[in-house]
Amino acid sequence: MSSSIAKPNKFNAGDKVFAKISDYPYWPALILDVNTGNKDAVLYKVLCYGSYRLALVKEDGICDYIKNKKLYGKPRNTCMSFDSAILDIDASIGCFKKNRKKIHQIYCINKRLNKWLKKAKRAKNSPNQESSEHKLQKKMTQLKTLRIECKMLKLDLRIKRCLNLVEPNLQNCLQFLTQLDTLQITPVMLKKHPEVVNTISRVKLYMGHIRTSKETQEMEFKYSRQASEIRAKADGVYHKIKTLFNSESDADFVIRFGSQLRTFQAKTVGLSCREFMYLTTEPV
């Protein structure tokens, strides 16, 4: 008597992969679901980055994204949608780790500044009281600015998490956008972290998540209304950012911000990671 043992799936829901769909090249995709009910082959329901279309792909048409990026992820100048898909999947993989690292770095800097401030306040009978007072005030201003910067990065990370394609949290996203709108963000913060500008510019165009068959018409209406509110709130935040760079139109802002960002990056290229994170004013 022989018994058949089911082989484990090579991939699971949530995995980032390349998927071979029809005559298209291997395409960056996210596995949404695994269908093992087909006796002939395991089928994977995937979401294609760039186009955000759904497809069913057999297991032999799926391969790991990271391991095969050099083979299948080369830029295709003749296919802009493919290049856009690569950017999207890379952002979904890397942005959270990158932001967490930045937040941790700024947190450590805040901690050091707090210790320095406590020590400075306890110091008495300074030989140069006026100079010491000025230095203390400067450090306090720097600490306040870095705290705002840290909050900005945390909110950017939370907004991205809220707007995932499968299970978004639109109510929380609105709250985080509102909090971001109240922060006293400076041009230097945005030039240090241009991904925040990119996040808001994309949220302005947010159209909603992937619909499921379980959603009622009432739920769809609710999500559509919330998506509209999110776009409006993001547009307000984006307008506030534009005013920091004396720009009225989106096109003018893109040009101005891009130019200033390149200049900023050229001036800070020689700074260490710590020096860069401590930066709260325009570099000389």
Side-chain angles (χ1 to χ4, degrees), residues 61-95:
I62 299 282
C63 63
D64 182 82
Y65 177 76
I66 297 295
K67 293 179 180 178
N68 294 278
K69 187 180 178 183
K70 287 186 178 180
L71 180 62
Y72 297 124
K74 295 177 182 178
R76 300 171 183 268
N77 297 327
T78 57
C79 185
M80 296 301 292
S81 57
F82 179 83
D83 293 344
S84 175
I86 291 292
L87 289 174
D88 283 351
I89 191 171
D90 283 347
S92 70
I93 292 171
C95 66

Side-chain angles (χ1 to χ4, degrees), residues 218-243:
E218 184 180 352
M219 290 169 67
E220 285 189 14
F221 176 77
K222 176 185 174 183
Y223 291 144
S224 178
R225 177 177 53 79
Q226 287 180 324
S228 177
E229 291 173 355
I230 284 171
R231 290 195 298 272
K233 178 59 72 174
D235 195 56
V237 175
Y238 196 74
H239 178 74
K240 183 178 178 180
I241 291 173
K242 285 192 299 184
T243 59

Side-chain angles (χ1 to χ4, degrees), residues 45-269:
K45 183 180 181 181
V46 301
L47 173 73
C48 300
Y49 283 94
S51 65
Y52 294 103
R53 293 179 179 176
L54 299 175
L56 285 175
V57 185
K58 292 182 179 180
E59 194 164 70
D60 58 6
I62 299 282
C63 63
D64 182 82
Y65 177 76
I66 297 295
K67 293 179 180 178
N68 294 278
K69 187 180 178 183
K70 287 186 178 180
L71 180 62
Y72 297 124
K74 295 177 182 178
R76 300 171 183 268
N77 297 327
T78 57
C79 185
M80 296 301 292
S81 57
F82 179 83
D83 293 344
S84 175
I86 291 292
L87 289 174
D88 283 351
I89 191 171
D90 283 347
S92 70
I93 292 171
C95 66
F96 296 139
K97 291 182 179 178
K98 189 176 180 181
N99 265 25
R100 283 197 195 101
K101 184 178 179 181
K102 284 185 176 182
I103 290 169
H104 177 70
Q105 288 170 338
I106 293 178
Y107 171 78
C108 291
I109 288 170
N110 284 339
K111 198 173 179 180
R112 291 191 197 102
L113 280 172
N114 269 321
K115 285 183 178 179
W116 186 93
L117 288 171
K118 287 178 182 178
K119 186 177 179 181
K121 287 177 180 179
R122 287 196 301 265
K124 295 180 180 180
N125 302 321
S126 172
N128 191 342
Q129 188 67 31
E130 187 176 344
S131 175
S132 179
E133 190 69 29
H134 175 73
K135 189 176 180 181
L136 180 63
Q137 191 62 41
K138 186 178 178 181
K139 288 287 185 181
M140 288 179 70
T141 303
Q142 187 181 24
L143 177 60
K144 181 181 177 181
T145 303
L146 288 172
R147 280 176 175 167
I148 294 172
E149 188 175 319
C150 193
K151 287 180 182 178
M152 179 188 74
L153 287 176
K154 285 181 178 178
L155 289 170
D156 177 63
L157 183 62
R158 287 168 180 168
I159 289 167
K160 289 172 182 172
R161 279 177 171 167
C162 284
L163 296 184
N164 69 78
L165 292 169
V166 184
E167 295 181 352
N169 191 327
L170 304 188
Q171 190 61 44
N172 280 358
C173 180
L174 275 170
Q175 292 176 6
F176 296 145
L177 282 168
T178 301
Q179 291 175 33
L180 185 64
D181 195 29
T182 61
L183 291 182
Q184 294 180 333
I185 296 172
T186 67
V188 172
M189 292 179 194
L190 296 172
K191 283 184 272 190
K192 284 173 70 178
H193 312 288
E195 67 274 11
V196 175
V197 176
N198 184 52
T199 296
I200 300 304
S201 66
R202 298 185 72 166
V203 175
K204 278 176 56 186
L205 306 174
Y206 180 69
M207 296 305 296
H209 64 292
I210 303 300
R211 300 289 190 265
T212 66
S213 57
K214 296 179 181 179
E215 290 180 9
T216 63
Q217 190 173 1
E218 184 180 352
M219 290 169 67
E220 285 189 14
F221 176 77
K222 176 185 174 183
Y223 291 144
S224 178
R225 177 177 53 79
Q226 287 180 324
S228 177
E229 291 173 355
I230 284 171
R231 290 195 298 272
K233 178 59 72 174
D235 195 56
V237 175
Y238 196 74
H239 178 74
K240 183 178 178 180
I241 291 173
K242 285 192 299 184
T243 59
L244 293 174
F245 294 86
N246 299 317
S247 299
E248 295 183 2
S249 68
D250 288 4
D252 180 58
F253 168 69
V254 170
I255 295 171
R256 282 175 182 259
F257 182 69
S259 175
Q260 291 190 32
L261 180 61
R262 287 189 292 273
T263 302
F264 179 83
Q265 290 173 339
K267 289 182 177 180
T268 58
V269 68

